[in-house]
Amino acid sequence: MLAAAAALGFCAFGVVIPGYLAFSVPVRAELALSSGQSAFIVGAAWGVGDITSLAAGWLADRYGARRLVLIGGILCGVGFAALGLANSFWSIVLAYSVTASVGRGLGIFPTLMTVVNQWFDDRKALALATINTAVTAGAAAILPALSMTSELIGWRLAAFAAGGLVFAITLPAAAVIRSRPEDLGLLPYGSETGGPQQRAGETGRPSARTTQRRNYSVKEALGTLSFCALAIGAILRTVPSDVLVINQIPLLIWRGVAEERTAAYLSITYFATIPARFGMGLAATWVSPRWMLSGAMAMVALCTVAALLLRGDAVAWFLILSSATGQGVSSLAWITVGEYFGRQSFGTLVGLMTVFYGVSGLIVPAAAGSVFDRTGSFVPVLLVVGVMQAISASAFVLVRRPAGRGGVE
């Protein structure tokens, strides 16, 4: 189940999230798009997917995620392939920012995390870190592949090929995935009564953290300081991160980096997130997340300050460090939701968190690009980004395992 979810996440998320960035230079040249329009296409795509996640999380919690995975994967493939037919700004928005992105939010991410969270009780942090790492690895591997394919056969044919790949892998993955282990007469891995999913040599006795974990309803979770602080920290982490990644190429050029090197730095940015997501997620097995979350965001804020003060290729490396660390925070935040609040409402809680920064994603990255178009400077953008990151670090200090009431698993 984990392998099927990881494979689909690797492919679909890897195509949809960074896909347009691989084509942004030839698309802007061919269709005469401004920096603000280009940033809006990507920001809207990420925002629409995040907003869709709210409905997807609610549906997955109540009716299961399997149908969502099938429908969402097909929409991802069809929408991205349709990008190859686009001949105007609004046709790109319809194909990529709407169709493919609704598919991503509906059936890929975070829906696949909801599936994995249902299947694991013990080793939950490791399982969720694996799926988070898989989607990041997909973005890292597919971005340069799409760039090279675009140079060889053109961005339109590359879009057709990538959309077809997503469609092809969706069908077998959806055939394997089941919403919950109970659908097959099983129990989550590491549950109290053991069962056929228990590894050979294990006693079947639940771990201490397994017996103490509670299943919170949405209302109960929203009533805890920990969830509110976690949500605020995650929102203020994600919005600045989207601004910096979406506008990374013009930002680097503005700071004196040669244009021919900017695409390579963007690829390195995605590759650097792989060990960060997995490493921080794995560390959550032993270390309380609050200090990792807060300390990581403090480092991210310092990297933004460095980008303000420095010029040349050094700025690129600080942005890469910032993005990698921030993506590690992302992985840890989702793991914390599963560890602290259980299985019952995981999809809805994650959907509630993503919808807020999804709305911001529709506006803020494009606004940042427009500021640069008007002023020729990213200084105001970086100042606001640094403040948001510092507030995020402060909010994460308040994240503790809640002691409120909930149904004991």
Side-chain angles (χ1 to χ4, degrees):
M1 205 63 58
L2 182 60
L8 180 58
F10 178 95
C11 181
F13 189 90
V15 166
V16 174
I17 285 295
Y20 178 80
L21 295 176
F23 307 146
S24 61
V25 174
V27 170
R28 285 180 62 183
E30 182 175 329
L31 301 182
L33 303 181
S34 67
S35 296
Q37 286 177 313
S38 188
F40 176 82
I41 288 169
V42 182
W46 296 4
V48 166
D50 293 336
I51 292 170
T52 306
S53 297
L54 177 60
W58 184 85
L59 290 169
D61 284 338
R62 282 152 184 78
Y63 304 109
R66 190 184 187 195
R67 291 187 182 90
L68 297 179
V69 169
L70 177 62
I71 295 170
I74 291 173
L75 286 175
C76 282
V78 170
F80 201 84
L83 177 61
L85 301 174
N87 55 15
S88 68
F89 168 73
W90 288 111
S91 59
I92 292 176
V93 170
L94 178 61
Y96 175 65
S97 303
V98 177
T99 305
S101 298
V102 165
R104 192 269 294 178
L106 192 66
I108 306 303
F109 197 82
T111 302
L112 293 175
M113 284 201 309
T114 304
V115 172
V116 173
N117 186 65
Q118 288 288 347
W119 275 83
F120 287 85
D121 194 356
D122 199 15
R123 313 278 172 86
K124 186 185 293 284
L126 177 60
L128 290 174
T130 299
I131 192 68
N132 270 274
T133 304
V135 298
T136 304
I142 290 175
L143 175 62
L146 283 177
S147 296
M148 289 187 291
T149 305
S150 175
E151 292 176 1
L152 291 173
I153 64 175
W155 68 270
R156 294 183 182 276
L157 287 178
F160 283 130
L165 176 64
V166 174
F167 184 88
I169 202 168
T170 295
L171 301 180
V176 171
I177 289 173
R178 296 294 188 276
S179 302
R180 302 176 181 88
E182 290 85 350
D183 295 343
L184 296 177
L186 301 173
L187 292 170
Y189 178 85
S191 65
E192 288 192 18
T193 55
Q197 75 277 24
Q198 200 78 23
R199 289 190 302 127
E202 291 183 336
T203 63
R205 184 176 301 165
S207 65
R209 68 188 306 172
T210 298
T211 57
Q212 292 172 0
R213 187 182 296 124
R214 297 173 181 269
N215 273 326
Y216 282 74
S217 68
V218 173
K219 182 178 179 180
E220 289 169 337
L222 292 177
T224 65
L225 175 63
S226 291
F227 180 79
C228 294
L230 184 63
I232 291 170
I235 292 165
L236 294 179
R237 179 213 71 83
T238 305
V239 174
S241 176
D242 289 352
V243 168
L244 294 179
V245 172
I246 291 171
N247 292 284
Q248 181 169 318
I249 289 177
L251 192 156
L252 291 178
I253 295 172
W254 169 68
R255 297 312 285 170
V257 178
E259 182 174 349
E260 59 269 16
R261 291 202 296 273
T262 56
Y265 281 131
L266 184 60
S267 295
I268 294 171
T269 298
Y270 279 102
F271 274 108
T273 62
I274 298 173
R277 280 204 177 206
F278 188 76
M280 292 182 69
L282 188 60
T285 305
W286 301 284
V287 182
S288 176
R290 64 188 298 222
W291 299 118
M292 284 197 296
L293 288 166
S294 181
M297 285 310 302
M299 180 184 295
V300 169
L302 290 175
C303 289
T304 299
V305 173
L308 262 171
L309 300 178
L310 301 175
R311 288 190 60 82
D313 291 77
V315 175
W317 292 109
F318 274 105
L319 290 180
I320 289 168
L321 176 60
S322 171
S323 180
T325 307
Q327 289 300 316
V329 169
S330 173
S331 177
L332 188 55
W334 303 139
I335 289 168
T336 303
V337 175
E339 288 282 359
Y340 284 9
F341 301 101
R343 300 172 64 214
Q344 179 180 339
S345 304
F346 178 85
T348 305
L349 293 175
V350 169
L352 285 170
M353 293 171 66
T354 57
V355 75
F356 285 105
Y357 58 71
V359 172
S360 300
L362 291 170
I363 303 168
V364 180
S370 297
V371 167
F372 179 68
D373 286 336
R374 292 196 304 270
T375 66
S377 173
F378 276 105
V379 169
V381 174
L382 291 174
L383 288 172
V384 173
V385 162
V387 170
M388 295 175 73
Q389 291 164 340
I391 297 173
S392 173
S394 301
F396 281 137
V397 174
L398 302 176
V399 177
R400 300 171 180 266
R401 185 178 292 276
R405 295 178 62 189
V408 178
E409 290 186 328

